[in-house]
Each structure stands twice: as C-alpha cells, then as structure tokens.
Amino acid sequence: MIIKGATALVTGGNRGLGRAFVEALRGAGCARIYAGARRIDGAAADGVVVPVELDITVPAQVAAAAARCADVNLLINNAGVAGFKPALGAPTMDDARLEIETNYLGTLSMCRAFAPVLKSNGGGTLVNMLSVTSFFNAPMNGSYCASKAAAWSLTKAVRFELRAQGTTVIGVYAGFIDTDMTHGLDGEQRQKVMRRSALRRLAEVEDVANAVEYLLSDKARTSPARC
Ligand SMILES: NC(=O)c1ccc[n+]([C@@H]2O[C@H](COP(=O)([O-])OP(=O)(O)OC[C@H]3O[C@@H](n4cnc5c(N)ncnc54)[C@H](OP(=O)(O)O)[C@@H]3O)[C@@H](O)[C@H]2O)c1
C-alpha cells in the first residue's frame, strides 16, 4: 500500500484516534480522506479531508457512504464504543448490545459495503481497529472485550474472503490510549489498568496512528523489524 495519492475513509474520524488517523494520512500524502462522523455539523471539505455523515449502525448511511466514496482504496474501520461494564454485573444489557451493534455488526456492515469498492479500485487495504482485549477479557469491561473478540474473528473471516480480490486486511490490537473513551474510566479503574498493564502512561493517539501509517507504508514491507 502506498499512502501517497491514496483515497481513504476513516470511520469515527471526528475525534480521538480517528481524527489522529485522518491527520497522519494527510501528513503521509493521501490525496483524499473521507472523515466519517455521526454528526458533521456543517464541517466543510478542505481540499483533502471530506466530512461524510456516517453512523456505521445505520444501513442506509453505510450504503450511501459506499456509493459516495466509490474511489476508496484504504478503509479504516475505527469507530467504536466502550461502556466499561462487566458482562454479568451490568444493570442491563444495553451497553453489551450497543458494543456488539457498533464494534462487531457496524464493522461487518462497513466491510460488506466496501468490499466491492475496494475490489473496483484494485484491491486496496482494509484496517480494523481492534484491541489487545480482542485476545483476553478484563472483568470491568467484559462485554466490550467480547465485542472486540468478535471483531477480531471477523477480521480473519474478511481476510480469507477478500484474499482473492487482492485486498490486504490488517487488524490493529492497541492497548489503552488516552482518548475520550478512556476518560470514561473512573479514577480507581484507571489506576487498576495502569497497575495491571505496568504502564507509566496511556498511549497517545499519535503513537497508534503513526504505527499504523508505518504498517501501511512501503518501509514496513522491506524492514526486517516488521510490526
Ligand atoms: N482508547 C483506547 O484505549 C482504545 C484501545 C484499543 C482500541 N480502541 C479502539 O479504537 C477505536 C477508536 O476509539 P477512541 O479511543 O478514539 O474512542 P473515542 O474517543 O470514544 O472515539 C470513538 C469514535 O467512534 C465514533 N463512533 C461511535 N459509535 C459510532 C457509530 N455508530 N457510527 C460511527 N461512528 C461512531 C465516535 O463518534 P461520536 O463523536 O459521534 O461519538 C468517535 O468518533 C475504537 O474502535 C476503540 O474500540 C481504543
């Protein structure tokens, strides 16, 4: 994948890690970056970044985005939610449903809608923003971890199915990042996370965005230290 000159779509591109992806891609020379957001609030295109109204849980909006962004050859499925609730101890299943609807089914919906778009643009690259919690479960965030595990499995399914059309499928398994999402942790939860992960600080959004930009670059293909 050569980012320079590529046309990208980043879901949840309005804040947090998504906004950092948009800026990293701009810095790396993407020709056009569609920044998906649930509310675009009159945000204007600036020559490179084009705001697109996109709630990944609304099928009509996903279909409209695939029609409008028909030149995409790099899709970054970044949008996600975390309720920070245990699986059984949560008072209701509302957070668990929203996490599955967004992190798993919303991502699946985007993959299905954009697979033909990527194919028609030469194969391209699809990135799913997952989590280290795709691999294990943390009790305070049990239903989120389950949704990210489902999205990890989905990523493998999509990789198999898109191999024939030449689409590269990448999963990104980040640890805790300093965004609004982790600001939702209360003080005690935050301390627990830091202690258990032996972290001195949470990752900055730029750390993750730059790592993904590197993965997408030609440098990663030739480096002996591929991530
Ligand atoms: N922060 C972490 O520690 C961490 C660690 C590993 C993985 N991740 C993953 O990284 C991704 C980005 O998270 P973040 O930390 O940047 O979180 P964030 O600051 O809470 O941002 C979440 C983004 O997702 C968007 N979003 C939520 N539901 C959506 C929907 N139905 N349709 C479209 N957009 C939607 C939000 O849009 P609105 O502005 O409209 O709410 C926002 O732009 C997520 O997939 C998350 O699971 C985060």
Side-chain angles (χ1 to χ4, degrees):
M1 177 84 207
I2 297 168
I3 301 178
K4 203 169 170 53
T7 299
L9 167 60
V10 180
T11 63
N14 54 312
R15 65 185 172 94
L17 184 57
R19 190 159 64 190
F21 278 137
V22 169
E23 290 311 320
L25 294 173
R26 186 207 293 271
C30 251
R32 178 173 297 159
I33 307 158
Y34 297 107
R38 288 192 280 195
R39 286 171 301 278
I40 54 175
D41 294 334
D46 69 6
V48 175
V49 179
V50 181
V52 171
E53 186 179 30
L54 176 56
D55 184 325
I56 63 168
T57 66
V58 177
Q61 289 192 17
V62 172
R68 179 174 173 198
C69 310
D71 51 349
V72 161
N73 58 0
L74 169 60
L75 170 64
I76 301 189
N77 283 317
N78 162 79
V81 292
F84 288 103
K85 298 279 185 355
L88 304 183
T92 69
M93 284 175 48
D94 293 352
D95 281 293
R97 281 190 213 288
L98 184 62
E99 287 158 348
I100 281 288
E101 280 290 340
T102 309
N103 302 345
Y104 172 63
L105 292 172
T107 302
L108 171 59
S109 176
M110 286 295 297
C111 293
R112 288 171 61 90
F114 277 85
V117 172
L118 294 170
K119 183 179 183 183
S120 68
N121 294 310
T125 302
L126 187 156
V127 178
N128 283 344
M129 190 58 217
L130 305 168
S131 165
V132 289
T133 66
S134 297
F135 306 138
F136 64 86
N137 202 287
M140 70 173 177
N141 209 6
S143 54
Y144 169 81
C145 300
S147 72
K148 286 296 189 184
W152 173 34
S153 188
L154 168 67
T155 303
K156 291 180 278 190
V158 170
R159 185 175 294 127
F160 285 131
E161 289 192 46
L162 296 188
R163 184 172 293 158
Q165 70 175 43
T167 302
T168 301
V169 177
I170 296 173
V172 179
Y173 307 90
F176 279 91
I177 312 162
D178 197 1
T179 65
D180 292 343
M181 186 174 276
T182 43
H183 297 167
L185 289 165
D186 66 32
E188 194 185 327
Q189 287 173 321
R190 200 178 170 95
Q191 284 309 317
K192 217 181 260 179
V193 165
M194 303 293 279
R195 238 187 355 263
R196 288 209 178 132
S197 330
L199 289 173
R200 284 209 306 256
R201 67 170 180 89
L202 302 190
E204 301 293 337
V205 286
E206 291 78 14
D207 299 334
V208 181
N210 291 339
V212 172
E213 185 219 312
Y214 172 79
L215 265 180
L216 293 172
S217 74
D218 272 355
K219 283 177 274 181
R221 304 263 177 271
T222 51
S223 165
R226 284 183 66 176
C227 335

